[in-house]
Amino acid sequence: MLDQVRYAVVFVFSDPVTAGGVVVGAVVLGASAWFAARRFGWRPVPSVFAGIFLGLVLALTFSRSQPSWALVGTEFCLLNGFSLHGVSELFNALLFAPLVWCAVLATRRPLAVLVSAVASSAVIEVLQPLVGRGMCETQDLFNNSAGAVVAAGLAAGYVALRDRMA
Protein backbone atom coordinates (compact mmCIF):
# COMPACT_ATOMS: atom_id res chain seq x y z
CA MET A 1 0.00 0.00 0.00
CA LEU A 2 2.78 2.42 0.91
CA ASP A 3 4.47 1.67 -2.43
CA GLN A 4 1.23 2.54 -4.25
CA VAL A 5 0.98 5.86 -2.39
CA ARG A 6 4.61 6.61 -3.19
CA TYR A 7 3.97 5.75 -6.85
CA ALA A 8 0.92 8.07 -6.94
CA VAL A 9 2.92 10.96 -5.47
CA VAL A 10 5.79 10.44 -7.92
CA PHE A 11 3.30 10.13 -10.80
CA VAL A 12 1.50 13.36 -9.92
CA PHE A 13 4.68 15.34 -9.36
CA SER A 14 6.52 13.97 -12.41
CA ASP A 15 4.49 16.23 -14.71
CA PRO A 16 5.41 19.89 -14.05
CA VAL A 17 1.97 21.16 -15.08
CA THR A 18 0.20 18.73 -12.75
CA ALA A 19 2.65 19.41 -9.92
CA GLY A 20 2.10 23.14 -10.35
CA GLY A 21 -1.64 22.57 -10.36
CA VAL A 22 -1.43 20.61 -7.11
CA VAL A 23 0.58 23.33 -5.39
CA VAL A 24 -1.37 26.27 -6.80
CA GLY A 25 -4.71 24.53 -6.26
CA ALA A 26 -3.89 23.66 -2.67
CA VAL A 27 -2.66 27.20 -1.92
CA VAL A 28 -5.57 28.93 -3.66
CA LEU A 29 -8.24 26.66 -2.20
CA GLY A 30 -6.63 26.74 1.25
CA ALA A 31 -6.56 30.55 1.19
CA SER A 32 -10.13 30.65 -0.13
CA ALA A 33 -11.21 28.39 2.70
CA TRP A 34 -9.60 30.72 5.21
CA PHE A 35 -11.61 33.65 3.81
CA ALA A 36 -14.78 31.52 3.77
CA ALA A 37 -14.15 30.56 7.40
CA ARG A 38 -13.95 34.21 8.38
CA ARG A 39 -17.07 35.04 6.38
CA PHE A 40 -19.25 32.16 7.62
CA GLY A 41 -17.91 31.75 11.16
CA TRP A 42 -16.26 28.38 10.52
CA ARG A 43 -13.20 27.17 12.38
CA PRO A 44 -10.24 28.51 10.36
CA VAL A 45 -7.60 25.78 10.74
CA PRO A 46 -9.77 22.83 9.66
CA SER A 47 -11.23 25.06 6.92
CA VAL A 48 -7.78 25.68 5.48
CA PHE A 49 -6.97 21.98 5.62
CA ALA A 50 -10.29 21.17 3.93
CA GLY A 51 -9.39 23.60 1.14
CA ILE A 52 -5.96 22.03 0.75
CA PHE A 53 -7.48 18.53 0.65
CA LEU A 54 -10.01 19.68 -1.95
CA GLY A 55 -7.10 20.86 -4.09
CA LEU A 56 -5.44 17.46 -3.71
CA VAL A 57 -8.67 15.60 -4.58
CA LEU A 58 -9.07 17.65 -7.75
CA ALA A 59 -5.41 17.23 -8.69
CA LEU A 60 -5.46 13.48 -8.17
CA THR A 61 -8.70 12.93 -10.05
CA PHE A 62 -7.75 15.06 -13.03
CA SER A 63 -4.02 14.25 -13.22
CA ARG A 64 -4.32 11.00 -15.12
CA SER A 65 -5.03 10.49 -18.79
CA GLN A 66 -8.01 8.62 -20.06
CA PRO A 67 -7.06 4.97 -20.68
CA SER A 68 -6.99 4.03 -24.37
CA TRP A 69 -9.36 1.12 -23.81
CA ALA A 70 -11.95 3.54 -22.37
CA LEU A 71 -12.10 5.38 -25.69
CA VAL A 72 -13.10 2.25 -27.62
CA GLY A 73 -16.46 1.54 -26.00
CA THR A 74 -19.63 3.50 -26.49
CA GLU A 75 -20.44 3.72 -22.78
CA PHE A 76 -20.03 7.16 -21.30
CA CYS A 77 -19.68 5.74 -17.81
CA LEU A 78 -18.58 2.27 -16.78
CA LEU A 79 -21.35 0.82 -14.62
CA ASN A 80 -19.78 -1.26 -11.88
CA GLY A 81 -20.52 -1.73 -8.21
CA PHE A 82 -18.89 -1.02 -4.89
CA SER A 83 -15.69 -2.93 -4.19
CA LEU A 84 -12.67 -2.58 -1.94
CA HIS A 85 -10.68 -5.31 -3.71
CA GLY A 86 -7.56 -3.61 -4.99
CA VAL A 87 -5.43 -0.60 -4.23
CA SER A 88 -7.29 1.72 -6.60
CA GLU A 89 -10.63 0.84 -5.05
CA LEU A 90 -9.32 1.38 -1.52
CA PHE A 91 -7.69 4.64 -2.60
CA ASN A 92 -11.04 5.88 -3.94
CA ALA A 93 -12.74 4.97 -0.66
CA LEU A 94 -10.16 7.05 1.23
CA LEU A 95 -9.91 9.92 -1.27
CA PHE A 96 -12.58 12.19 0.21
CA ALA A 97 -12.11 11.15 3.86
CA PRO A 98 -9.57 13.84 4.92
CA LEU A 99 -11.54 16.55 3.11
CA VAL A 100 -14.83 15.50 4.72
CA TRP A 101 -13.27 15.12 8.17
CA CYS A 102 -11.78 18.62 8.08
CA ALA A 103 -14.89 20.19 6.55
CA VAL A 104 -17.11 18.72 9.28
CA LEU A 105 -14.73 19.97 11.97
CA ALA A 106 -14.74 23.39 10.32
CA THR A 107 -18.47 23.80 9.68
CA ARG A 108 -20.01 21.43 12.24
CA ARG A 109 -22.51 20.44 9.55
CA PRO A 110 -21.89 16.77 8.70
CA LEU A 111 -24.95 16.26 6.51
CA ALA A 112 -24.25 19.33 4.37
CA VAL A 113 -20.61 18.31 4.01
CA LEU A 114 -21.58 14.73 3.13
CA VAL A 115 -24.06 15.83 0.45
CA SER A 116 -21.45 18.21 -0.98
CA ALA A 117 -18.80 15.48 -1.09
CA VAL A 118 -21.10 12.99 -2.85
CA ALA A 119 -22.22 15.67 -5.32
CA SER A 120 -18.58 16.67 -5.94
CA SER A 121 -17.64 13.06 -6.60
CA ALA A 122 -20.51 12.71 -9.09
CA VAL A 123 -19.50 15.91 -10.89
CA ILE A 124 -15.87 14.76 -11.05
CA GLU A 125 -16.90 11.39 -12.51
CA VAL A 126 -18.99 13.07 -15.21
CA LEU A 127 -16.30 15.63 -16.03
CA GLN A 128 -13.38 13.18 -16.30
CA PRO A 129 -14.36 11.69 -19.70
CA LEU A 130 -15.55 15.07 -21.00
CA VAL A 131 -12.14 16.65 -20.45
CA GLY A 132 -10.18 13.46 -21.28
CA ARG A 133 -8.65 13.14 -17.80
CA GLY A 134 -9.64 9.78 -16.41
CA MET A 135 -12.84 7.88 -16.89
CA CYS A 136 -16.29 7.80 -15.39
CA GLU A 137 -16.95 4.77 -13.18
CA THR A 138 -19.89 4.27 -10.86
CA GLN A 139 -17.57 2.25 -8.60
CA ASP A 140 -15.47 5.36 -8.00
CA LEU A 141 -18.60 7.29 -7.03
CA PHE A 142 -19.75 4.51 -4.70
CA ASN A 143 -16.31 4.16 -3.10
CA ASN A 144 -15.84 7.93 -2.72
CA SER A 145 -19.32 8.17 -1.19
CA ALA A 146 -18.77 5.30 1.23
CA GLY A 147 -15.52 6.86 2.45
CA ALA A 148 -17.26 10.22 2.81
CA VAL A 149 -20.10 8.65 4.84
CA VAL A 150 -17.63 7.01 7.24
CA ALA A 151 -15.56 10.20 7.59
CA ALA A 152 -18.65 12.38 8.15
CA GLY A 153 -20.00 9.96 10.75
CA LEU A 154 -16.70 9.75 12.61
CA ALA A 155 -16.20 13.51 12.49
CA ALA A 156 -19.77 14.14 13.71
CA GLY A 157 -19.20 11.72 16.57
CA TYR A 158 -15.90 13.40 17.44
CA VAL A 159 -17.48 16.87 17.41
CA ALA A 160 -20.39 15.68 19.60
CA LEU A 161 -18.02 14.00 22.04
CA ARG A 162 -15.75 17.04 22.19
CA ASP A 163 -18.73 19.32 22.81
CA ARG A 164 -20.04 17.06 25.51
CA MET A 165 -16.67 16.94 27.30
CA ALA A 166 -16.28 20.74 27.13
Side-chain angles (χ1 to χ4, degrees):
M1 175 74 171
L2 188 57
D3 287 336
Q4 296 295 338
V5 171
R6 192 173 310 132
Y7 171 78
V9 169
V10 169
F11 176 75
V12 167
F13 285 99
S14 64
D15 176 25
V17 173
T18 303
V22 169
V23 172
V24 170
V27 168
V28 167
L29 290 170
S32 298
W34 183 78
F35 286 111
R38 291 184 53 133
R39 168 75 173 89
F40 296 111
W42 299 338
R43 300 177 68 135
V45 172
S47 294
V48 169
F49 278 106
I52 291 168
F53 285 126
L54 176 59
L56 292 175
V57 164
L58 294 173
L60 290 171
T61 55
F62 290 110
S63 65
R64 58 188 174 158
S65 299
Q66 193 171 34
S68 59
W69 59 267
L71 302 173
V72 176
T74 58
E75 273 185 23
F76 177 77
C77 193
L78 181 61
L79 303 176
N80 48 10
F82 177 81
S83 171
L84 292 178
H85 291 78
V87 173
S88 179
E89 290 80 4
L90 184 59
F91 175 76
N92 273 306
L94 297 174
L95 183 63
F96 277 79
L99 166 60
V100 169
W101 174 269
C102 291
V104 169
L105 293 183
T107 65
R108 305 172 70 83
R109 298 182 64 197
L111 186 58
V113 169
L114 177 60
V115 169
S116 298
V118 171
S120 297
S121 178
V123 168
I124 287 169
E125 289 305 317
V126 169
L127 284 178
Q128 281 180 324
L130 294 176
V131 299
R133 305 302 288 177
M135 60 181 280
C136 176
E137 284 190 73
T138 56
Q139 183 178 77
D140 290 353
L141 174 63
F142 296 149
N143 289 8
N144 293 156
S145 299
V149 166
V150 171
L154 290 173
Y158 172 76
V159 167
L161 184 63
R162 188 182 63 199
D163 288 350
R164 192 168 174 198
M165 307 246 328

